[in-house]
Structure formats: structure tokens, C-alpha cells
Amino acid sequence: MDNLWIAALDPADRKRIEPHLTERPFAQGQMLYDAGEAVEEVWFPMSGVVSLMTLVDEDRMIETAAIGREGLVGVTCGPLNARAASRAIAQVDGVSACCPADVFADALSHSERMRTALSKFTESLFAQVQQAAACNAQHRLDERLARWLLTIHDRADADRFALTQSDIAGMLGVRRATVSEVGSALEEKGLIRRGRGWVEVLDRKALEKASCGCYALMRGVMKDLGVPRPSTPAH
């Protein structure tokens, strides 16, 4: 099992959900569910990245959290029978194991260990949401961009991943021209390389130094909670 959250469960707990899992690919830009919708499936990414988007107004939204193979998507907005408070959109192509929400709810009701594992993950996710809000309000765009690229890099399984200037601008809630300008500065320093529809991380350590402290803080929260921390195979 490539999903780290499921892999960390006890064998008995994995057996509660594994027979009900269906493997399903998702493509960049695909909406897994929208704000206000009832979430009927729990998604366990095995590769790729899913962004949780908070709607600012009718035409704009901003990313408040990113989830990869370290976690799950679909039970992070409230109780299992609640309507989603955010929009879940695939940011990087991937594959997920999907479980009916009622099956997952039943498994949780029979296992305190699973409830604890879920609580730890949601606590780390909510901390990510809070940190992202503070970061967006207080830090320079170049620091925010470096932090965001590191977050995607951890979950993308490769140094190069498909992203357009519009994608990045939408995630950070800024104009495309502004992202282009700041991205050029990181590229001139040799931290990243960009092409038409893609970004490649060239110097991971330098990118970490260019980031604000929010990235390291969130990695520390995950470590303290004992939840799986995603990372690219080479790092």
C-alpha cells in the first residue's frame, strides 16, 4: 500500500477497509468534491497531490492545504455526514484508493486506534491550514512560493512536476504576472527551472533556505504528532 496513512495502520485495522478500496486515477484540475457537497467517498492518495481550496468569492479561491500519499481526503471538513467546507482539486496527477464513507465510518467506530490515527492526521492538517493563513497574510511572495513548491515537491515523487503560472497564481491567490516575476527571481538563483506547463526543483536545500519558516514549522508539527511525513525519494 503506497498510501502512508493506511500502511501505518495495524494489520487488523487495514483489513477493515482494504477489501472495500477501489483504485482510481485523478488528473490535474479534477474536482473530487466541491464546497457544500456531501462527501460520499474517502480518498487515500497513493501518488499525486490534492489541494483543499477555500472559496474567497464567486471567482476566486486559495489553497489552504495540500494532501498527498501521507494522508486522506474527505473526512477533514467535519463529521463524515457533513457537507464539505472546501473544494478538493487534484493539483498533480495521481492515483488514489477510494473507500465508501459509510464503510470508513463503520471501521472507525470499531477501532480506537484508527480514530486516534485519524485525529492525529486531522490535527496536523488543521495546523497546516492555520499556518497557510498566517503565511499568506504576513510573508513575502517569494518566501510563500518557495514554501509552496517545497510542499508540492514532497508529494510529487519527482523533481519536475506539471504546473502552469496560472496554477501557481491560483494556489497563492495572486496575479499571474506577479508569480512570473517572483518565479524568475528563484530561477535566476538556480533554485528552480521552468518551462511551458512545468516546474523543476534544482536545488532543494537552497529552496528551503529561501522559504519562510512555515515549511519547517509544519514538518515539525507532523513529526511531533507522529504522522507520516511525505518526501521525495531522493530527499
Side-chain angles (χ1 to χ4, degrees):
M1 170 54 65
D2 292 329
N3 179 272
L4 301 180
W5 191 87
I6 293 180
L9 295 175
D10 289 342
D13 288 333
R14 289 200 301 270
K15 290 180 181 178
R16 297 179 190 276
I17 60 174
E18 283 183 335
H20 306 279
L21 296 177
T22 302
E23 188 172 304
R24 188 177 305 168
F26 54 81
Q28 184 183 40
Q30 179 181 338
M31 185 168 62
L32 307 189
Y33 57 78
D34 200 1
E37 290 184 352
V39 179
E40 298 180 350
E41 286 186 303
V42 181
W43 296 66
F44 299 90
M46 298 184 288
S47 61
V49 185
V50 177
S51 294
L52 297 186
M53 309 294 297
T54 297
L55 305 181
V56 179
D57 52 41
E58 292 183 359
D59 300 321
R60 292 190 304 142
M61 54 186 176
I62 188 170
E63 184 194 75
T64 51
I67 303 171
R69 64 188 181 281
E70 81 282 2
L72 55 158
V73 181
V75 293
T76 53
C77 302
L80 286 170
N81 61 351
R83 295 188 180 277
S86 60
R87 179 179 295 176
I89 295 180
Q91 189 61 241
V92 176
D93 293 353
V95 177
S96 178
C98 297
C99 179
D102 57 347
V103 171
F104 188 63
D106 183 66
L108 288 172
S109 70
H110 288 88
S111 173
E112 182 177 355
R113 292 183 302 247
M114 286 188 70
R115 293 195 297 272
T116 298
L118 180 61
S119 295
K120 288 182 177 181
F121 172 73
T122 54
E123 185 173 342
S124 72
L125 188 67
F126 290 151
Q128 183 183 164
V129 171
Q130 292 175 323
Q131 197 68 44
C135 183
N136 290 336
Q138 297 296 326
H139 292 146
R140 300 193 315 268
L141 182 57
D142 59 325
E143 296 175 324
R144 292 169 52 200
L145 177 57
R147 183 263 301 170
W148 187 76
L149 289 173
L150 288 167
T151 300
I152 299 300
H153 189 226
D154 285 339
R155 295 162 173 82
D157 294 324
D159 291 332
R160 177 170 165 169
F161 33 91
L163 283 174
T164 66
Q165 300 287 359
S166 294
D167 294 331
I168 299 172
M171 294 301 105
L172 297 177
V174 297
R175 294 184 302 112
R176 178 179 174 180
T178 305
V179 169
S180 179
E181 180 180 344
V182 175
S184 295
L186 294 181
E187 193 167 20
E188 289 173 2
K189 295 177 182 178
L191 278 61
I192 63 172
R193 180 167 55 193
R194 299 174 301 164
R196 188 174 182 83
W198 57 267
V199 176
E200 182 178 2
V201 174
L202 297 178
D203 191 333
R204 166 85 188 197
K205 291 184 178 180
L207 193 61
E208 289 179 1
K209 291 180 179 178
S211 170
C212 56
C214 295
Y215 174 76
L217 283 172
M218 287 315 308
R219 297 286 292 184
V221 168
M222 297 179 77
K223 181 180 179 180
D224 291 343
L225 288 171
V227 299
R229 287 176 293 167
S231 61
T232 57
H235 301 283

